[in-house]
Structures are given as C-alpha cells and as structure tokens.
C-alpha cells in the first residue's frame, strides 16, 4: 500500500511539473464528466480549465471571475460528475460538471465559503456543506436545506480531517484533544453529530 501511494505521489509530482499550468495548491481534483476517471481543474483570468482523464488534454469549461478559493466541489445535482458551488450575488449557485452556467442551489445562508467544507455526511450520495464558527458546527444537507446544528463545540472544520474511516458511505470528522485522544465524529439520529469512535494515541 505504501509503495502504491509513493508511486501515485511521484506520478502526480511528475505530471504537475511537466503539464500543470498552476501550482498544485491551486489545482482541484474531481470526476467532472462522471466517467469514473479523475480530472484536474484550475482557473485563470476568469476562464476555467479541466484536464480530463479520458482525453488527457486541457479543455476550456465555464467562466467566472471568482478565485478558486471561493469554490467548493461535490455532487450537487442528479447529473453524475463533480459540480462547483460558490456564493453568488443572489445566493448559493452551482455549475453542473463545471460546464454549465450558475444555477440556484440555495439562498445565501452564509456569505462566504472561507470556513466551509463539502462532504457527504449523511451518506445519501449528495454533498453537504458544513461550517464552524468557533462555537458550533452547522451544515446544510445537500447544500439545499436550511442550516442545522451538527454539534456544539470549538474546532475549525476546515482544519480537520474528513473522510470515510469505517468503510461506510458517510463522511466523518477526525479531531484531536490535548491528551492525545482521537475522536471520530459522525452523523447519528436526526441532524446531530456524536462520537462514533475514540482512540488513545499514546
């Protein structure tokens, strides 16, 4: 497994060194055309570009004046493929597959995605949008519902690990506390998060 991850890291480094027009921190990865292959996204001068795994060429997509830091990526509609969501003038908007014009996703529940994360916390195949404000975690199911409180407590979601750590379909959140304990938070009944697993790292 370690050998595979090292090979992937080397391959990505070689690709970005030879072919990527932007630093790796300004690239985003997803399956924008829904063909099961990973694609690469960047934006420059208002033009979006996608390197499709199928064609292996950079292709112009949609246009937008927003910087890449303003975007979240996930599955927000019924069309297979990674979509892009941003806070637009009238609310939250999404571009299906990075190729379609902005369509309405939700009202402007918050005015910035600077502290937001995109993940499928309820395991329904659609991406949720979550935030932390230092006092609580809140999220919008599928990016379309009102904000619900996930849990009370500090911890910036943007700085925590998010993934599927139990082999299931739901994304979970990993957090650490000062005495070297690790907590894995997951969605329980209703909208609330609870500790699904606890580990002592000593």
């Amino acid at each position: 497994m370690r050998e595979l991850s090292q090979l992937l890291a080397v391959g990505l480094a070689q690709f970005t060194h030879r072919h990527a027009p932007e630093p790796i921190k300004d690239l985003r990865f997803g399956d924008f055309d829904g063909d099961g292959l990973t694609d690469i996204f960047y934006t420059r001068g208002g033009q979006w570009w996608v390197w499709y795994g199928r064609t292996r060429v950079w292709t112009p997509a949609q246009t937008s004046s927003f910087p890449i830091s303003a975007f979240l990526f996930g599955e927000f509609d019924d069309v297979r493929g990674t979509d892009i969501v941003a806070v637009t003038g009238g609310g939250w908007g999404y571009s299906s597959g990075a190729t379609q014009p902005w369509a309405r996703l939700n009202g402007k529940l918050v005015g910035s995605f600077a502290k937001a994360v995109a993940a499928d916390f309820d395991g329904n195949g659609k991406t949720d949008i979550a935030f932390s404000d230092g006092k609580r975690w809140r999220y919008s199911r599928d990016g379309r519902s009102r904000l619900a409180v996930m849990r009370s407590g500090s911890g910036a979601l943007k700085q925590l690990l998010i993934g599927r750590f139990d082999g299931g379909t739901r994304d979970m959140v990993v957090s650490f506390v000062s005495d070297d304990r690790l907590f894995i938070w997951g969605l329980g009944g209703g909208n609330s998060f609870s500790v699904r697993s606890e580990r002592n790292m000593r």
Side-chain angles (χ1 to χ4, degrees):
M1 195 69 173
R2 178 179 297 178
E3 290 78 6
L4 177 59
S5 62
Q6 289 174 339
L7 286 173
L8 290 173
V10 170
L12 179 58
Q14 291 175 344
F15 172 86
T16 54
H17 176 71
R18 296 175 184 172
H19 304 285
E22 296 290 329
I24 192 170
K25 67 180 181 63
D26 295 325
L27 302 177
R28 300 295 184 268
F29 300 85
D31 180 11
F32 294 96
D33 56 1
D35 66 354
L37 299 175
T38 299
D39 312 313
I40 306 174
F41 172 94
Y42 81 95
T43 180
R44 179 192 290 169
Q47 177 67 60
W48 297 357
W49 294 87
V50 180
W51 183 91
Y52 290 105
R54 175 174 45 84
T55 63
R56 299 181 176 269
V57 297
W58 289 105
T59 304
Q62 207 28 272
T63 59
S64 168
S65 60
F66 294 122
I68 199 164
S69 59
F71 299 146
L72 294 176
F73 297 79
E75 288 276 1
F76 295 101
D77 62 11
D78 294 326
V79 179
R80 184 176 178 183
T82 303
D83 310 311
I84 299 178
V85 65
V87 179
T88 61
W92 294 358
Y94 75 97
S95 171
S96 181
T99 61
Q100 300 302 308
W102 293 118
R104 182 179 174 83
L105 182 69
N106 206 331
K108 191 180 289 187
L109 305 184
V110 298
S112 170
F113 285 152
K115 296 182 179 180
V117 297
D120 184 6
F121 293 113
D122 56 9
N124 70 348
K126 295 288 183 64
T127 304
D128 311 310
I129 299 176
F131 311 82
S132 54
D133 58 13
K135 297 181 180 179
R136 57 188 177 173
W137 296 353
R138 297 185 296 163
Y139 84 121
S140 168
R141 283 183 186 265
D142 305 345
R144 297 179 182 272
S145 71
R146 296 180 179 181
L147 290 178
V149 175
M150 300 161 71
R151 66 174 289 255
S152 298
S154 60
L157 275 171
K158 195 87 170 182
Q159 299 174 3
L160 300 177
L161 298 175
I162 298 176
R164 297 176 184 175
F165 303 106
D166 64 351
T169 60
R170 296 185 177 189
D171 287 318
M172 298 184 177
V173 181
V174 172
S175 64
F176 294 87
V177 293
S178 58
D179 59 356
D180 295 327
R181 285 184 298 163
L182 177 150
F183 293 111
I184 299 180
W185 298 84
L187 194 64
N191 292 319
S192 61
F193 255 42
S194 59
V195 175
R196 317 303 290 183
S197 179
E198 180 179 346
R199 299 283 189 276
N200 190 320
M201 302 305 290
R202 291 180 178 175

